[in-house]
DNA sequence: TGTATATCTTGG
DNA sequence: GCCCCCCAAGATATACA
């Protein structure tokens, strides 16, 4: 089965498609029940003792469309002593499957049974005896499904795919059957979907719902997988059931139970428990198989509904679980008769009714003023109910009594810590501690969260769905390699998989982390769970990729290097993970590249002509490895500009040593958007040459619009670069004394130099350079700094800044200026130039005018303006400005 | 003090 | 056949300046 996909998740918004459920699940459910009861009737009434009871030992499952139709077939069978069922109850021993054709999936499922065509039933009845099934089999003797032969060969008896030998198929099959993989993938897709959706809503709704008290609803299907899987086996609904991969009916199975119904829970069975243990608790436990498609369908019904009622914000928690802001929805219903709580009750009831009608599964709803309270309310509501927790008395009561472990963000580890160190088991236990005590015990951030929890507060803002920061794949099941070759086979397939995932979301990354799970020394060779990982040591190694990439072979080359570096025996490997970070959207990259080359051409026209050469100014040497790691398009550009005759091979291993030439003037924008590691490499190269070249473009050279279009983490990185440069200028005086060169460059001088030249160049290499180059390099280092200093002194002013600087502003003017700045750039983030001017302005306010309060209040105002803003850049800016004020005033505790 | 990466924790 | 123990984010820890 292909990885799950929610490509056509609803795009309906309130209005157009309102109340129009695309599903007819309600009808479907009724239809199923009807059908089921009809069949029972048939079985009971139509037994006819006058007919030969040829089917008396047969239990036949009629699958899908048949001719004669299933009803008629059932009649033939039951009237002759047989049992026919139209629904598999999971584990009943069916003797015959009656089907015209089977999907590969079903084929797999029914491998053990006799699968025969409907005509077998008809002919046997006519003959008055069971005919041999041979002529009626839909499976030929070679083991191929005859009816499907034309499309795709079906492997009937193939042994399971091995991770190290048939890696592609192993990975495919593993993920197709992994519920945790489905769960994770669904969540990612849902989050992505609602990321764009929410922004549309929020722009209008933010202001109104921020003022009123927020109302959050936490919605969750009851025992989701179990409920949905039960739809097809309604006769088991009153029995203890669970959903699991295991097909065995007895024995000590190590299969996970994904979900069990509430009847099973009475026996102490829980989600995630092994089937073997659950059977000990309840021998009568019924097993259902996964039905991922049906889970998607039910989930879609829920999310469709949520969108159609026009909520203020949606935060998907899982495929079956969602947090929604229903503030507007509730407030709109409030009038003289209807209180806010009444409105919340109505909304919850309507939700529950609608979802049951459309899915035949029950949801529970918890409603509260924040996520914490909604979650607690949900717990009390389960199963099949709802709880509204809006008045402070009941909130106090419910939350205080809550066991810590049941609260969001408090898992086994944290709750153990709290119980051991603070002897706290409920929120009211925790109330006795100060913020500082809590932080000391569990860390600053978590301490703050707990402190707020105790006061029924929770800052979680469900409107913020941050950008994706990583893409990863893990497998820690079925990993059993006999040789390094098998490990390599797997890694090749696995890098293909991660590449596929990157391409699927149109992203590339520039940083790789490899995780290896290695059998722990005290763990047995074979884990308790069949082909499981058992207890392992985890080793992670990471490396830059030197370019934004989604290419499987390229990623493999680095991943494999890391795997080899760990040097673990292949036999001991139990799990492997790949993670790609420092992501960019492919769109960005394309756009930027086009932009940059347009700019390059422009520059060529304006600047290069007068130097008399349209070639690069100062050709020089660069490590070919560095060049080959640049994005292909950039490589091409460089080659064009230096007229490199032959094309550089992408496989840089063979040609590592041959030096090529590179222009010293690379477009600053191109440099600015390169991954940090590459910029460092170029810096290193150019600095080592001792040429006068400023790798990091001056700030004024960076086009603001282009800068804004860059992904956040890159903008952040560029800003950091400038920060670093600035600090160096400040330190220059102290360093100057150290860099007098006499006979030898000392190591201490080197450590200082290193910073400016790029960290990758080693002392050993530097010392081998000719003295003249060393001197030149160091001189260059100083030159570089002086120029940066000059830049810092005359930043390019725009009109607004001139105003800010020249005008004698009062506090309101300043605050208005800040408001305007935030309003214009709230989403794209601050521009550094304005930030610098503001920084200078507040410095001057304090230093020259002695006006501390305007400076302090201005920065505080900025903080208030950006409360709840998801853009990290703004928060970094605020921090920096706060730091400026703190430094200038010498007062640490203002903010 | 901060930044960058490694590791742990959480949740469904 | 047994069985399909994923994956992303946030916080803290650690290393280094
Ligand atoms: N260890 C787990 C926990 C959950 N799930 C899957 C199956 C669940 O049906 C689904 C939703 O998880 P919930 O925690 O919401 O649990 P249920 O919906 O099964 O039950 P409840 O009524 O307690 O929500 O996620 C799983 O595969 N393995």
């Amino acid at each position: 089965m292909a990885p799950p996909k929610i490509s056509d998740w609803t795009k309906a918004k309130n209005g157009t498609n309102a109340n129009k459920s695309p599903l007819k699940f309600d009808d479907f459910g009724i239809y199923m029940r009807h059908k089921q009861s009809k069949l029972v009737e048939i079985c009971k009434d139509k037994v006819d003792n006058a007919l030969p009871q040829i089917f008396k030992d047969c239990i036949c499952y009629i699958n899908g469309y048949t001719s004669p139709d299933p009803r008629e077939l059932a009649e033939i069978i039951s009237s002759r002593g047989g049992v026919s069922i139209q629904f598999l109850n999971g584990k009943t021993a069916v003797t015959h499957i009656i089907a015209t054709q089977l999907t590969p999936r079903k084929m797999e499922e029914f491998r053990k049974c006799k699968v025969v065509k409907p005509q077998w039933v008809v002919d046997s009845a006519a003959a008055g005896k069971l005919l041999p099934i041979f002529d009626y089999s839909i499976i030929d003797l070679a083991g191929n499904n005859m009816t499907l032969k034309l499309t795709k060969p079906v492997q009937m008896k193939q042994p399971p795919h091995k991770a190290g030998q048939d890696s592609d198929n192993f990975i495919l099959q593993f993920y197709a059957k992994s519920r945790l993989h489905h769960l994770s993938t669904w969540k990612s897709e849902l989050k992505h979907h609602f990321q764009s959706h929410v922004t549309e809503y929020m722009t209008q709704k933010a202001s109104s719902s921020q003022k009123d008290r927020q109302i959050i609803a936490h919605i969750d299907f009851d025992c989701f997988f179990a409920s949905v899987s039960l739809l097809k086996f309604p006769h088991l609904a009153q029995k203890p059931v669970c959903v699991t991969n295991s097909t065995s009916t007895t024995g000590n199975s190590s299969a996970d139970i994904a979900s069990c119904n509430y009847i099973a829970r009475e026996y102490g069975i829980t989600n995630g428990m092994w089937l073997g243990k659950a059977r000990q608790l309840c021998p009568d436990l019924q097993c259902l198989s996964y039905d991922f498609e049906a889970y998607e369908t039910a989930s879609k019904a829920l999310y469709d509904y949520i969108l159609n009622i026009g909520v203020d914000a949606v935060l998907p928690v899982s495929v079956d679980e969602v947090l929604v802001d229903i503030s507007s929805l509730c407030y709109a219903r409030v009038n003289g008769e209807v209180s806010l709580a009444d409105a919340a009750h109505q909304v919850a009831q309507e939700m529950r009714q609608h979802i049951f009608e459309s899915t035949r599964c029950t949801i529970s709803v918890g409603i509260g003023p924040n996520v914490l309270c909604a979650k607690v309310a949900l717990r009390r509501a389960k199963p099949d109910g709802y709880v509204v927790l809006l008045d402070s008395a009941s909130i106090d009561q419910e939350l205080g009594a809550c066991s810590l472990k049941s609260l969001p963000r408090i898992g086994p580890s944290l709750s153990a810590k709290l119980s051991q160190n603070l002897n706290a088991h409920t929120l009211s236990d925790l109330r006795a501690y100060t913020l500082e005590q809590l932080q000391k015990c569990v860390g600053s951030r978590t301490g703050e969260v707990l402190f707020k929890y105790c006061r029924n507060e929770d800052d979680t803002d469900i409107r913020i769905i941050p950008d994706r920061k990583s893409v990863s794949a893990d497998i820690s099941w079925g990993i059993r390699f006999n040789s390094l070759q098998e490990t390599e086979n797997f890694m090749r397939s696995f890098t293909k998989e991660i590449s596929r995932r990157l391409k699927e979301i149109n992203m590339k990354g520039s940083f790789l982390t490899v995780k290896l799970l290695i059998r722990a020394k005290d763990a047995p060779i074979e884990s308790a769970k069949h082909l499981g990982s058992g207890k392992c040591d985890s080793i992670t190694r990471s490396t830059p990729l030197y370019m934004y990439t989604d290419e499987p072979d390229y990623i493999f080359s680095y991943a494999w290097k890391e795997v080899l570096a760990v040097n673990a025996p292949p036999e001991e490997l139990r799990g492997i993970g790949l993670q790609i970070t420092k992501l960019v959207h492919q769109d960005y990259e394309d756009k930027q590249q086009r932009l940059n080359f347009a700019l390059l051409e422009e520059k060529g026209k304006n600047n290069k002509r007068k130097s008399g050469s349209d070639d690069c100014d100062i050709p020089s040497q660069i490590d070919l490895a560095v060049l080959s790691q640049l994005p292909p398009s950039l490589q091409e550009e460089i080659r064009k500009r230096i007229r490199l005759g032959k094309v550089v091979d992408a496989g840089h291993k063979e040609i590592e040593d041959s030096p090529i030439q590179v222009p010293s003037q690379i477009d600053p924008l191109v440099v600015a958007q390169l991954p940090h590691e590459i910029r460092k490499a170029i810096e290193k190269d150019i600095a080592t040459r001792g040429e006068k070249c400023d790798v990091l473009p001056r700030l004024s050279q960076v086009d603001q619009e282009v800068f804004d279009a860059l992904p956040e983490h890159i903008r952040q990185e560029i800003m950091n670069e400038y920060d670093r440069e600035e600090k160096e200028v400040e330190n220059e005086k102290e360093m100057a004394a150290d860099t007098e060169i006499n006979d030898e460059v000392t190591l201490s001088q080197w450590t200082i130099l290193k910073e400016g030249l790029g960290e990758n160049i080693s002392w050993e290499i530097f010392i081998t350079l000719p003295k003249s180059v060393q001197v030149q390099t160091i001189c260059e280092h100083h030159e570089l700094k002086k120029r940066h200093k000059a830049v810092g002194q005359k930043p390019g002013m725009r009109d607004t800044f001139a105003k800010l600087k020249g005008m004698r502003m009062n506090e309101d003017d300043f605050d208005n200026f800040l408001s305007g700045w935030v309003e214009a750039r709230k989403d794209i983030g601050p521009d550094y130039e304005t930030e610098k001017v503001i920084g200078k302005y507040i410095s001057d306010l304090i230093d020259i005018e002695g006006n501390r309060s305007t400076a302090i209040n201005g920065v505080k105002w900025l903080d208030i303006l950006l409360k709840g803003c998801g853009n990290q850049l703004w928060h970094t800016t605020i921090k920096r400005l706060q730091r400026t004020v703190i430094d200038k005033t010498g007062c640490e505790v203002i903010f």
Side-chain angles (χ1 to χ4, degrees), chain A residues 234-502:
Chain A
H235 58 290
L236 294 178
Q238 301 313 315
K239 297 193 147 214
V241 304
C242 68
V243 175
T244 169
N245 258 324
S246 172
T247 54
S248 76
T249 47
T250 54
N252 190 18
S253 164
S254 68
D256 276 13
I257 288 173
S259 175
C260 56
N261 65 359
Y262 278 80
I263 300 171
R265 290 180 200 197
E266 286 169 19
Y267 294 84
I269 298 170
T270 60
N271 288 0
M273 186 180 276
W274 284 4
L275 181 58
K277 183 175 175 192
R279 282 228 182 85
Q280 285 176 5
L281 296 170
C282 170
D284 191 32
L285 182 65
Q286 307 289 308
C287 295
L288 304 173
S289 52
Y290 291 96
D291 190 348
F292 294 120
E293 279 177 39
Y295 307 151
E296 279 185 29
T297 310
S299 174
K300 184 166 162 7
L302 172 65
Y303 279 97
D304 272 347
Y305 175 72
I306 296 301
L307 286 185
N308 285 338
I309 60 175
V311 296
D312 299 319
V314 181
L315 181 65
V317 177
S318 172
V319 69
D320 78 314
E321 189 172 340
V322 64
L323 284 162
V324 293
D325 182 336
I326 53 168
S327 311
S328 310
L329 217 51
C330 291
Y331 281 102
R333 294 173 185 235
V334 175
N335 58 38
E337 320 272 278
V338 181
S339 72
L340 194 58
D342 293 340
H345 277 83
Q346 288 175 10
V347 171
Q349 282 167 347
E350 287 166 22
M351 281 178 175
R352 282 171 35 74
Q353 183 178 349
H354 181 99
I355 296 302
F356 182 72
E357 282 168 5
S358 61
T359 67
R360 292 284 133 185
C361 292
T362 59
I363 57 169
S364 297
V365 181
I367 292 177
N370 56 40
V371 173
L372 172 69
C373 295
K375 168 82 180 175
V376 170
L378 175 65
R379 275 193 64 78
R380 306 286 286 116
K382 270 186 169 299
D384 193 15
Y386 72 94
V387 166
V388 177
L389 222 49
L390 285 175
D391 66 296
S392 56
S394 47
I395 289 175
D396 269 343
Q397 191 190 339
E398 291 295 339
L399 265 64
C402 259
S403 86
L404 291 171
K405 176 72 194 63
S406 69
L407 301 174
R409 296 193 254 183
I410 303 183
S413 168
L414 189 51
S415 78
K417 213 183 264 180
L418 292 169
S419 122
Q420 280 166 25
N421 299 348
L422 305 179
N423 194 29
H425 305 91
T426 65
L427 269 187
S428 46
D429 294 344
L430 271 192
R431 279 187 190 143
Y433 295 92
T434 65
L435 177 61
E436 288 70 28
Q437 285 172 316
L438 290 174
Q439 289 179 319
K440 197 170 172 206
C441 177
V442 297
S444 69
R445 188 78 194 90
T446 312
E448 203 183 315
V449 168
L450 292 181
F451 187 74
K452 289 193 169 150
Y453 273 12
C454 294
R455 284 143 192 84
N456 307 338
E457 292 166 15
D458 183 359
D459 283 343
T460 312
D461 187 342
I462 71 167
R463 294 167 303 175
I464 299 175
I465 304 182
D467 285 339
R468 193 189 249 269
K469 293 179 191 67
S470 68
V471 172
S472 68
D474 292 74
I475 295 186
S476 61
W477 185 89
I479 302 296
R480 295 292 187 279
F481 302 134
N482 295 315
S483 63
L484 202 59
Q485 182 59 53
E486 290 195 349
T487 315
E488 187 180 332
N489 291 346
F490 179 85
M491 284 301 291
R492 284 195 190 276
S493 298
F494 209 34
T495 45
K496 271 193 276 179
E497 171 65 17
I498 200 128
S499 154
R500 192 190 61 71
R501 293 185 189 190
L502 283 167

Side-chain angles (χ1 to χ4, degrees), chain A residues 756-797:
Chain A
L757 301 180
E759 281 122 22
N760 293 335
I761 184 164
S762 70
W763 167 251
E764 288 79 6
I765 289 171
F766 184 81
I767 206 69
T768 62
L769 295 170
K771 179 56 65 62
S772 62
V773 177
Q774 288 182 9
V775 172
Q776 213 182 347
T777 306
I778 291 163
C779 290
E780 163 61 16
H781 180 62
H782 280 266
E783 186 62 27
L784 211 117
K785 282 185 175 174
K786 267 179 221 150
R787 275 200 277 153
H788 278 300
K789 196 170 187 177
V791 172
Q793 277 166 354
K794 47 169 184 129
M797 289 285 172

Side-chain angles (χ1 to χ4, degrees), chain A residues 41-59:
Chain A
E41 275 173 35
I42 292 166
C43 291
K44 263 195 291 203
D45 301 337
K46 297 295 169 81
V47 174
D48 186 341
N49 288 320
L51 292 170
Q53 302 292 293
I54 58 171
F55 294 118
K56 70 175 159 46
D57 294 324
C58 298
I59 303 171

Side-chain angles (χ1 to χ4, degrees), chain A residues 447-570:
Chain A
E448 203 183 315
V449 168
L450 292 181
F451 187 74
K452 289 193 169 150
Y453 273 12
C454 294
R455 284 143 192 84
N456 307 338
E457 292 166 15
D458 183 359
D459 283 343
T460 312
D461 187 342
I462 71 167
R463 294 167 303 175
I464 299 175
I465 304 182
D467 285 339
R468 193 189 249 269
K469 293 179 191 67
S470 68
V471 172
S472 68
D474 292 74
I475 295 186
S476 61
W477 185 89
I479 302 296
R480 295 292 187 279
F481 302 134
N482 295 315
S483 63
L484 202 59
Q485 182 59 53
E486 290 195 349
T487 315
E488 187 180 332
N489 291 346
F490 179 85
M491 284 301 291
R492 284 195 190 276
S493 298
F494 209 34
T495 45
K496 271 193 276 179
E497 171 65 17
I498 200 128
S499 154
R500 192 190 61 71
R501 293 185 189 190
L502 283 167
K503 288 185 163 127
E504 196 169 65
I505 57 170
N506 208 21
M507 293 188 111
K508 293 184 174 183
S510 63
F511 200 81
L512 169 73
T513 302
V514 178
K515 182 177 72 183
L516 298 184
L517 293 186
I518 296 164
R519 181 178 67 88
K521 283 196 174 50
D522 56 345
I525 301 280
E526 269 320 320
S527 54
K529 187 180 187 73
H530 175 65
L531 289 180
S533 61
K535 189 181 165 208
C536 286
D537 298 321
S538 160
I539 297 180
T540 62
R541 296 180 55 93
S542 30
T543 170
L545 291 170
Y546 303 103
M547 65 185 241
Y548 293 109
T549 184
D550 58 7
E551 283 306 311
D553 294 340
Y554 186 84
I555 296 171
F556 171 79
S557 66
Y558 283 92
W560 186 236
K561 215 159 68 183
E562 298 307 316
V563 171
L564 290 179
V566 172
N567 201 21

